[in-house]
Amino acid sequence: MSDEIEDAPKPLHKNEQLKAQSNFLRGHILRDLLDESSGTITEESGQLTKFHGIYAQDDRDLRSQRRREGREKAYIFMARVRVPGGVCTPRQWLAMDAIADARGNGTLKITNRQAFQLHGVLKGQLRAAIHEVNVALLDTLAACGDVNRNVMCNPNPHLSRLHAETLSIAKAVATHLLPRTRAYHELWVDDILVSGGEPEEDIEPILGKTYLPRKFKTVFAIPPSNDVDVFAHDLGFIAVADDDGGLAGFNITIGGGMGMTFNHVDTYPRLADVIGFCRPHQVVDVAEKIVTVQRDFGDRTDRKHARFKYTVADRGPVWIRAEVERRLGWELGSARRFEFTDTGDRYGWTEGPNGDAHFTVFIENGRVKDDAKRALRAVALIHKGDFRLTPNQHLMIAGIAPADRPAIEAILREHRLDAAHRATGLRLNSMACVALPTCGLALAESERYLPDLVTLLDAEVEAAGLRDDAIVIRMTGCPNGCGRPYLAEIGFVGKAPGKYNMYLGAAFNGSRLNTLYKASLPAADIVPTVRPLLRKYAAERAPGERFGDFVIRAGIVKPTGTPADFHDKATVAAASEDAASL
Ligand code: HEM
Ligand code: SF4
């Protein structure tokens, strides 16, 4: 190969051209929505609607039946509603509840990034659904796509004095980084047909005409809780208290991310690096400059290498920090000390300082449906505080007034939501991504399977005397990592129907990734594989020792060394042999 060819720049990924030619995210979305000959939209429009919070999907349970009948797939849409910091009003809850019934499949999904998802929306209902979301003063703008997504924040209003201020900064960052194009409003809110729109040449000063190379996720953590899983995100801010308990500022983290692709050893989950410290009033500027560094240096040729974590890994956090400081025109401070204890939620009642109280409801995998949905609707009709979606897919009914508490307590009791959090420590720390039947990328079950698996494992947990021990267990239907499985003490990642890679040994506080323990484990072998581990842990653990730490100390797995530790070496070797023989 000549030097000339070697040095030729790699072509941009086709999505880059699509974004550039979309007239700021309009493309042909409207034309496709109005086309009644199909229940879905074109592939190109499907890429663009993500920026508007919408995924084109199909009901995978119905695929073979539809094929037999010679009909097109059972097309549906998923709409993700952005809820910065996870905080919404009872009115907004009621609106979401009603939209799910009228326009979706009657359920609400609380996601582990503090958003709502509406599932099963038919094409003909989509514009009405999104319009109604906006009437409720919520939106789906930038909930998916190559942009800064929903900004997360620890939801506990009384965790510390830092909370209210941190939440308002999180909201300011969320707003500042939103796309500025009018396309979203034209398409979904104002009901004005998009005729190509007015020229908007300079409309995106931060994101630019082609937006970011890939999705970008920002979170705010308030120690000692790491419920937001700060190290799993592109950009994180860790609140630091001053000597009086007020907000001194934030440690800044960059370059975390979960997703990988099986057998591609140059894709891997990565923990974020702490690169410095800034004051509260500097956060918006810091976030903007970090986003622009990724905008300018992220890889736009290969979407499997386009996340900020690869930019950070390739150039190094020191280089990124220097580039950010150059753009800021000032230097970041040195990172301050911080300590995280755990990533979980605090269920049940918490008493506030002024007689108000909060109740965190355990909602398995965040799926609000049936009786629980009716109960929460009844609560929303009385409640005057707010609702807070937690980063573990649960719900905090926050700021319950003393006068309303008896009535809310009665509803929770009647619908047995007051007792849901008396489950085992394993179930209370379980999390699954959506996967089948809606997610087009799922290779195996997740949300529909994990509850049953935990029921089987509960028997083992009880037998080992570990009923009340919190052990973090997470499952996803594919390696993209939506349920943050690589930060679980026990993680399952779908490989094929009924088969999972099993990972062990992440830190309970989210500061260490896990390691591959078994590749392609059949579902039927999971309980016999986990049983001896639980027994050994119960018998041999040191006082206070967490399961994830124990499996490393006991030599069951090694702590993660290199990115390749996430891949099954046998299948990687077989895949490269196949490639070599082609
Ligand atoms: C290449 C990487 C990824 C792709 C292509 C991807 C794609 C998707 C898709 C298609 C869905 C919709 C599933 C459904 O509702 O039917 C989804 C859900 C979701 N994803 Fe991802 N995802 C990726 C990585 C991640 C990562 C790393 C995170 C967070 C750390 C994440 C967070 C979520 C969340 C919170 C949901 C909502 C459902 C839930 O709470 O489990 N995703 N993703
Ligand atoms: S992890 Fe995979 S299967 Fe699960 S929601 Fe994400 S993309 Fe779908």
Side-chain angles (χ1 to χ4, degrees), residues 433-435 439 441-442 476-478 480-482:
C433 74
V434 180
C439 179
L441 303 162
T476 56
C478 86
N480 284 334
C482 302

Side-chain angles (χ1 to χ4, degrees), residues 228-421:
V228 296
D229 259 329
V230 65
F231 301 112
H233 289 89
D234 299 272
L235 173 59
F237 292 94
I238 302 172
V240 178
D242 59 24
D243 292 343
D244 307 327
L247 184 63
F250 296 88
N251 286 328
I252 304 156
T253 63
I254 56 163
M258 290 280 100
M260 65 169 203
T261 305
F262 285 136
N263 301 336
H264 287 242
V265 280
D266 42 6
T267 66
Y268 47 85
R270 183 178 192 279
L271 288 185
D273 298 289
V274 182
I275 56 159
F277 172 87
C278 69
R279 301 276 172 204
H281 70 275
Q282 297 169 325
V283 169
V284 171
D285 203 14
V286 169
E288 178 191 305
K289 299 300 184 289
I290 290 175
V291 164
T292 63
V293 169
Q294 164 63 356
R295 177 196 66 197
D296 298 342
F297 292 98
D299 186 347
R300 291 180 186 262
T301 65
D302 177 2
R303 288 180 69 81
K304 286 193 193 311
H305 187 254
R307 286 289 295 273
F308 190 37
K309 65 178 171 182
Y310 298 115
T311 319
V312 174
D314 293 348
R315 295 183 181 261
V318 174
W319 186 93
I320 304 273
R321 175 179 167 154
E323 180 60 24
V324 171
E325 288 175 337
R326 197 182 66 73
R327 291 173 186 223
L328 285 167
W330 49 270
E331 286 181 11
L332 300 175
S334 307
R336 309 278 175 92
R337 274 175 51 82
F338 62 95
E339 198 175 346
F340 288 123
T341 51
D342 65 310
T343 57
D345 284 347
R346 283 150 187 75
Y347 300 105
W349 289 101
T350 331
E351 307 295 331
N354 311 315
D356 58 341
H358 322 295
F359 188 87
T360 302
V361 189
F362 170 77
I363 298 178
E364 195 152 32
N365 298 322
R367 183 65 66 171
V368 184
K369 59 180 181 183
D370 307 333
D371 198 44
K373 185 155 170 289
R374 284 188 286 278
L376 293 168
R377 186 188 309 148
V379 169
L381 287 167
I382 302 172
H383 182 44
K384 298 176 195 67
D386 49 45
F387 283 90
R388 295 177 179 226
L389 317 184
T390 81
N392 287 291
Q393 306 168 320
H394 305 294
L395 181 69
M396 178 186 281
I397 307 164
I400 300 173
D404 295 333
R405 184 161 169 171
I408 290 177
E409 253 174 324
I411 296 168
L412 296 175
R413 204 168 34 245
E414 187 191 332
H415 297 271
R416 302 171 63 86
L417 291 183
D418 62 334
H421 61 282

Side-chain angles (χ1 to χ4, degrees), residues 73 85 96 130 146 171 279 297 375 396 402 416 495 536:
K73 289 177 184 166
M96 291 304 302
I130 308 293
D146 301 341
K171 288 182 176 174
R279 301 276 172 204
F297 292 98
M396 178 186 281
R416 302 171 63 86
K495 197 120 200 243
K536 195 171 166 64

Side-chain angles (χ1 to χ4, degrees), residues 214-231:
R214 201 67 171 72
K215 68 174 91 170
F216 194 91
K217 298 178 178 177
T218 304
V219 298
F220 285 75
I222 306 180
S225 172
N226 185 21
D227 53 358
V228 296
D229 259 329
V230 65
F231 301 112

